[in-house]
Amino acid sequence: MPYIPFTDEQKILANSVDLEEFLRMRGEKLERVGREHKLIYYDSSGKHDSITIHGSTWFDHKNQVGGGAIKFMQEFYDMDFQTAVQELLGQTVTPLSHSPPKVSAKEEKKEFRLPEANTNMHRVYAYLIKQRFISPDIISHFAKQHTLYEDKEHHNAVFVGVDENGVPRQASKRSTNSYGNSFRITCQGSDTRYSFAHFGKSSCLYVFEAPIDMMSFLTLYPKDWQQHSYIAMNGVYENAVLTALKNHINLSEVILCVDNDEGGIEAVDRLRDILNENGYSNVKRLAPPYKDWNEVLKAKNGVYALPAVPNQHKEEYHRQSKNLQYLKCRPDKLTSQIYAAFKNEQYKYLAEYALALYH
């Protein structure tokens, strides 16, 4: 494609396109979740719903990446910058029907199968106890419930999510390798409405990002732990949490125990909005003093632990928002004023314009 010298104003306009409206017009499936919309698509590994859309911005909660409209077109449709800007400006070059397979794939249900179990759990016990410092009693509890086991082929730890009838519907595998790259992956065909969990009789539901975080918390706070309920989201997906609340009417208080890093801090507000919209207003945040609950457990056992990672964007937002004022602006000059503020990187002015328009 020949190079097109887009003006700065054209680039800004393209990057500020309302992605929700843009994607709906092109036949993509979106579901409303709180203040955002969730993009639903299918590829060879099954159904995906980890990307949320809010105005002209998007975020992939599984891969912890996001951005504006242009980057979305580049990442999701595999377009170069030129094509992405032209698409967003309405100067269609390549029909979206010619987009990559992950977008145009047919909605096909992948059969869910649990990985074949090994005859013992020696490697899983060794990994979780020696490297993760998780209590043997906690491991044994979930092993007896058949929601934790060792797979036969690669000796991974398998964490299982069961439905209200005790039938396995979801599973994730975690590498137990001491060397090389470790991984965590959700098994094909898994139903995201279910996840690794324990349900007690109290009104409290503790929510974690991953099974190991959950088991670490139980190791740290073992007293009467079985009275309460706990669930691992496998990321920051809300599906399993909402299903658990629906299926267990005793649950009324949600405690978000997600990681104390940029992604976790960002997820707290999102999850709180979703829960409030679904009728759960008693939502609290319990942040680990280190990056996550397993890091807390490491520190307690004298091993180096990753520190918490502040969300600098959110901290800066709160700092700046305290000093915002209402700007007087004329409607007939608003476009040029906003463009000038953006070009001169006067981001505080942009926020004050938005504040004035909101009210």
Side-chain angles (χ1 to χ4, degrees):
M1 175 185 294
Y3 174 76
I4 301 174
F6 293 111
T7 65
D8 288 342
E9 191 168 15
Q10 285 177 313
K11 295 175 185 176
I12 294 170
L13 183 60
N15 210 36
S16 61
V17 165
D18 188 311
L19 279 174
E20 178 204 341
E21 181 180 354
F22 182 87
L23 294 173
R24 284 194 189 282
M25 289 174 60
R26 282 151 179 77
E28 298 291 359
K29 183 178 179 181
L30 296 169
E31 292 180 0
R32 187 170 183 81
V33 183
R35 300 177 184 177
E36 304 170 321
H37 284 80
K38 187 162 55 177
L39 176 64
I40 309 297
Y41 71 92
Y42 295 76
D43 63 13
S44 59
S45 64
K47 180 180 176 181
H48 298 272
D49 60 359
S50 65
I51 297 175
T52 52
I53 309 290
H54 183 69
S56 61
T57 61
W58 62 280
F59 191 76
D60 186 341
H61 298 276
K62 180 179 180 181
N63 298 309
Q64 295 292 296
V65 63
I70 295 175
K71 187 176 180 181
F72 179 88
M73 302 297 281
Q74 292 176 301
E75 293 283 338
F76 196 74
Y77 290 113
D78 199 27
M79 293 181 178
D80 58 35
F81 181 83
Q82 297 284 306
T83 305
V85 173
Q86 285 192 324
E87 289 279 0
L88 292 164
L89 293 177
Q91 304 168 12
T92 306
V93 176
T94 305
L96 294 189
S97 59
H98 294 168
S99 55
K102 68 178 180 181
V103 179
S104 59
K106 294 182 180 180
E107 297 188 6
E108 54 182 84
K109 178 66 176 177
K110 295 291 182 179
E111 183 180 0
F112 172 67
R113 290 184 179 179
L114 286 173
E116 185 178 357
N118 194 32
T119 54
N120 60 65
M121 290 181 59
H122 294 167
R123 295 195 190 184
V124 167
Y125 267 92
Y127 170 72
L128 293 177
I129 294 172
K130 295 180 180 179
Q131 295 188 46
R132 295 294 190 162
F133 304 102
I134 293 173
S135 165
D137 291 339
I138 298 297
I139 301 170
S140 295
H141 171 83
F142 290 102
K144 291 176 182 177
Q145 299 296 316
H146 305 291
T147 55
L148 171 60
Y149 68 93
E150 182 176 313
D151 80 344
K152 182 178 181 179
E153 185 176 5
H154 299 294
H155 302 284
N156 299 309
V158 181
F159 300 93
V160 182
V162 301
D163 65 14
E164 51 274 18
N165 297 314
V167 178
R169 298 294 185 187
Q170 182 270 356
S172 62
K173 295 187 288 186
R174 181 65 167 82
S175 170
T176 57
N177 289 335
S178 301
Y179 305 98
N181 294 328
S182 61
F183 70 89
R184 185 178 68 198
I185 188 171
T186 300
C187 297
Q188 278 195 359
S190 288
D191 189 335
T192 59
R193 294 176 301 168
Y194 303 97
S195 189
F196 182 73
H198 166 82
F199 295 106
K201 295 183 178 180
S202 82
S203 62
C204 296
L205 174 64
Y206 294 82
V207 177
F208 301 85
E209 290 191 27
I212 288 179
D213 291 327
M214 175 179 144
M215 296 175 73
S216 298
F217 184 87
L218 299 181
T219 301
L220 289 163
Y221 304 101
K223 185 178 179 180
D224 299 327
W225 73 267
Q226 294 188 43
Q227 294 181 9
H228 309 299
S229 297
Y230 312 82
I231 192 166
M233 296 181 289
N234 291 310
V236 287
Y237 307 149
E238 69 281 355
N239 287 12
V241 177
L242 293 176
T243 300
L245 291 168
K246 179 181 178 181
N247 291 337
H248 298 82
I249 59 174
N250 59 299
L251 297 175
S252 59
E253 179 182 355
V254 181
I255 303 173
L256 301 175
C257 305
V258 294
D259 293 359
N260 196 358
D261 59 9
E262 289 193 2
I265 295 169
E266 196 74 34
V268 169
D269 289 339
R270 173 179 171 270
L271 292 170
R272 182 180 281 116
D273 285 344
I274 293 170
L275 289 165
N276 286 341
E277 189 176 74
N278 282 272
Y280 299 94
S281 58
N282 191 1
V283 182
K284 300 176 182 177
R285 163 73 159 135
L286 182 59
Y290 290 85
K291 178 184 175 295
D292 58 47
W293 294 103
N294 191 245
E295 297 300 325
V296 177
L297 200 52
K298 288 180 181 178
K300 185 178 180 181
N301 284 273
V303 175
Y304 171 75
L306 295 174
V309 181
N311 189 312
Q312 296 180 354
H313 295 289
K314 189 173 286 289
E315 290 184 358
E316 180 64 17
Y317 164 78
H318 287 301
R319 189 179 71 83
Q320 292 287 354
S321 63
K322 292 178 181 179
N323 301 317
L324 292 180
Q325 301 177 15
Y326 292 97
L327 282 184
K328 293 182 178 180
C329 51
R330 291 174 52 182
D332 58 329
K333 292 187 176 182
L334 185 59
T335 302
S336 59
Q337 288 175 324
I338 292 176
Y339 176 66
F342 190 94
K343 187 175 182 180
N344 296 323
E345 298 185 350
Q346 296 172 308
Y347 301 120
K348 183 180 177 182
Y349 284 158
L350 290 175
E352 290 176 333
Y353 281 131
L355 185 64
L357 290 170
Y358 181 76
H359 290 274

